Amino acid sequence: MEEYSLNQTLDNLKGPTLEQIVFHNQWAAVAFDRFHLNSQSSIKFILDGVEKLVNLKWDSKFSKSAMKEDVDMANHGGVAMAWFVMSVILDYSYVEQTEIGDGVDYRFRKTEPSDDELNFLDDYHYVEISGVLQEKSTNTLERRVKDKHRQIKRGAKRDLSSSVIVTLFEEPKTIKEIHN
């Protein structure tokens, strides 16, 4: 079984500061630690229909005294997992946050754009992100994936290359689906 560390995002992703990546990774660690022991777990990735089971490790050696809110664990932890999937597994090396109304959270590129490219090219892959701590009757992984596809349809980037990435921390499982 392949083995990864959530901290590999630190080496693979440009755009956010290292501190921003650590911030999101720490929230993911708190979410995972609620359900999994020893800062590691087997996690199922379903990436555009292809299943892959890997061993994922994360750093849990930090103070969690100011990290209690479930909504923040799911939200920021979901961002950490999407950044991990896009940069470590799928080799996108650059990310930017999008604007409210775009219908997506972030846009990714395989390479960091030059100043000239920033104004003229839109060769990004857009991603709408979410996290679910644990499934409940009205809040399931499958339902959240569908909700995120609907959100993209309503947004300004609906006709551009995009995906949904949702992580369920309890199981754990991360789904990435291309938006059509």
Side-chain angles (χ1 to χ4, degrees):
M1 182 179 321
E2 289 180 82
E3 188 168 289
Y4 292 98
S5 168
L6 190 55
N7 282 340
Q8 286 177 259
T9 308
L10 292 163
D11 296 325
N12 288 34
L13 193 61
K14 302 291 183 241
T17 64
L18 293 178
E19 291 82 3
Q20 287 172 306
I21 296 170
V22 169
F23 170 84
H24 290 296
N25 282 1
Q26 287 180 340
W27 278 106
V30 171
F32 280 129
D33 283 348
R34 180 173 287 183
F35 307 104
H36 311 284
L37 300 174
N38 303 318
S39 301
Q40 66 178 339
S41 179
S42 293
I43 180 169
K44 183 187 287 184
F45 289 106
I46 304 173
L47 308 176
D48 302 324
V50 177
E51 288 190 23
K52 177 179 191 165
L53 187 65
V54 304
N55 190 48
L56 182 67
K57 295 182 176 189
W58 55 87
D59 177 13
S60 297
K61 294 178 184 151
F62 56 89
S63 173
K64 296 156 191 78
S65 63
M67 303 176 85
K68 305 289 186 199
E69 182 56 51
D70 289 354
V71 172
D72 289 335
M73 284 181 221
N75 179 30
H76 297 299
V79 169
M81 290 304 296
W83 286 4
F84 172 82
V85 165
M86 293 300 289
S87 67
V88 176
I89 296 180
L90 299 178
D91 294 323
Y92 284 81
S93 66
Y94 181 77
V95 66
E96 292 179 353
Q97 189 174 40
T98 59
E99 304 277 339
I100 290 179
D102 284 344
V104 290
D105 295 309
Y106 292 92
R107 62 187 198 166
F108 291 82
R109 273 187 99 214
K110 291 282 186 174
T111 59
E112 187 172 357
S114 69
D115 290 340
D116 294 336
E117 292 174 310
L118 287 175
N119 294 324
F120 300 106
L121 295 178
D122 193 356
D123 59 348
Y124 290 88
H125 186 78
Y126 291 86
V127 178
E128 176 59 18
I129 298 169
S130 191
V132 178
L133 279 182
Q134 60 189 126
E135 291 186 315
K136 300 199 165 119
S137 60
T138 59
N139 190 22
T140 66
L141 181 62
E142 189 173 310
R143 187 174 188 169
R144 185 68 61 87
V145 168
K146 288 178 185 175
D147 287 346
K148 293 298 156 182
H149 279 294
R150 282 194 289 274
Q151 184 172 329
I152 292 173
K153 283 181 186 174
R154 293 190 308 266
K157 304 296 183 185
R158 65 184 158 272
D159 296 325
L160 299 173
S161 173
S162 60
S163 292
V164 168
I165 299 179
V166 182
T167 296
L168 172 61
F169 288 92
E170 180 182 31
E171 191 165 327
K173 182 191 292 185
T174 296
I175 296 176
K176 177 196 175 291
E177 285 185 1
I178 293 285
H179 178 74
N180 297 321

